[in-house]
Amino acid sequence: MNFGMIVKELSAGLVVSVEIFIVTLVVSLVLGLVVAFGRMSKFLPLRWLVRTYISIMRGTPLMLQLMVVYYGPYYLFGMQISTEYRLPAVLIGFAVNYAAYFAEIYRGGIESISRGQYEAAKLLGYNKIQTFFRIIFPQAIKRILPSITNEVITLVKDTSLAFVIAIPEMFTTAKQIAASQVSMVPFVAAGIFYYIFNLIVAVMMELIEKKLEYYK
């Protein structure tokens, strides 16, 4: 099999990897903000509950979490697991894992904004929601964007972990081709795909960062 054929074979796996990446990124960024609010809540039981969730997500391997999400319903509740549940399980596992990391990044950015910003907004007649989304949040995003970029780049590479529950993403496809062809070329092609994928992500995040130069 020549290099062109290998790239064509990898394309199907690339589509799955991109799907995992996009869904995880969108859901975890939104969920992470919600979790960050819980982490900063003045209601102590909620704050401790969220801290425990974040600690577990960051303290255990993502691979293990994917296995728990996929096999958990069967071992805990005796539910039958179908192959159609594999992709949803991967998306759920990735989203709840990355939401924990994004939550701590959000929290750090939000808490770095001085109290004077809140007081000034109050004097201008803004309510709490307006203050947060019009004044605090844009400044926080500017400060945390480099950290978010690092997590997003890590997410691109972590999509390969979907192989643990037999999702045919790009790395799994590369292994299958390499095994059948007894060749390292599929891994080289996959590595090039991952590099280009990450390069595109890095360039896009840099453009977003430049757009937020106003909030320096």
Side-chain angles (χ1 to χ4, degrees), residues 41-97:
S41 173
K42 294 180 180 179
F43 184 53
L44 191 59
L46 175 60
R47 189 164 73 244
W48 277 100
L49 179 63
V50 173
R51 285 185 66 178
T52 301
Y53 155 71
I54 292 174
S55 178
I56 293 172
M57 290 298 104
R58 298 200 304 172
T60 57
L62 175 55
M63 184 182 298
L64 175 61
Q65 294 167 21
L66 292 174
M67 294 177 69
V68 169
V69 173
Y70 183 64
Y71 295 109
Y74 174 75
Y75 288 109
L76 295 176
F77 308 109
M79 297 172 60
Q80 292 299 315
I81 301 173
S82 66
T83 55
E84 287 77 13
Y85 178 57
R86 285 176 181 169
L87 184 57
V90 165
L91 298 177
I92 292 169
F94 270 86
V96 296
N97 176 274

Side-chain angles (χ1 to χ4, degrees), residues 175-192:
K175 287 197 300 181
Q176 292 171 346
I177 299 172
S180 64
Q181 299 295 317
V182 194
S183 170
M184 284 292 294
V185 175
F187 291 122
V188 174
I192 293 172

Side-chain angles (χ1 to χ4, degrees), residues 3 8 26 36 49 51 65 70 73 89 96 98 104 117 124-125 137 148 158-159 161 163 177 182 189 198-199 201:
F3 190 78
K8 185 177 179 180
V26 172
L49 179 63
R51 285 185 66 178
Q65 294 167 21
Y70 183 64
V96 296
Y98 271 85
E104 286 296 88
Q117 300 272 5
L124 291 172
F137 193 56
I148 288 179
D158 277 353
T159 56
L161 293 177
F163 82 89
I177 299 172
V182 194
N198 267 323
L199 186 62
V201 168

Side-chain angles (χ1 to χ4, degrees), residues 21-38 53 94-96 98-104 106 110 132-133 137 141 144 148 152 155:
F21 171 79
I22 293 175
V23 174
T24 299
L25 185 62
V26 172
V27 175
S28 61
L29 282 173
V30 175
L31 181 59
L33 184 59
V34 175
V35 173
F37 288 144
Y53 155 71
F94 270 86
V96 296
Y98 271 85
Y101 287 92
F102 286 134
E104 286 296 88
Y106 281 135
I110 293 168
F132 180 77
F133 285 105
F137 193 56
I141 287 294
I144 67 178
I148 288 179
V152 173
L155 172 58

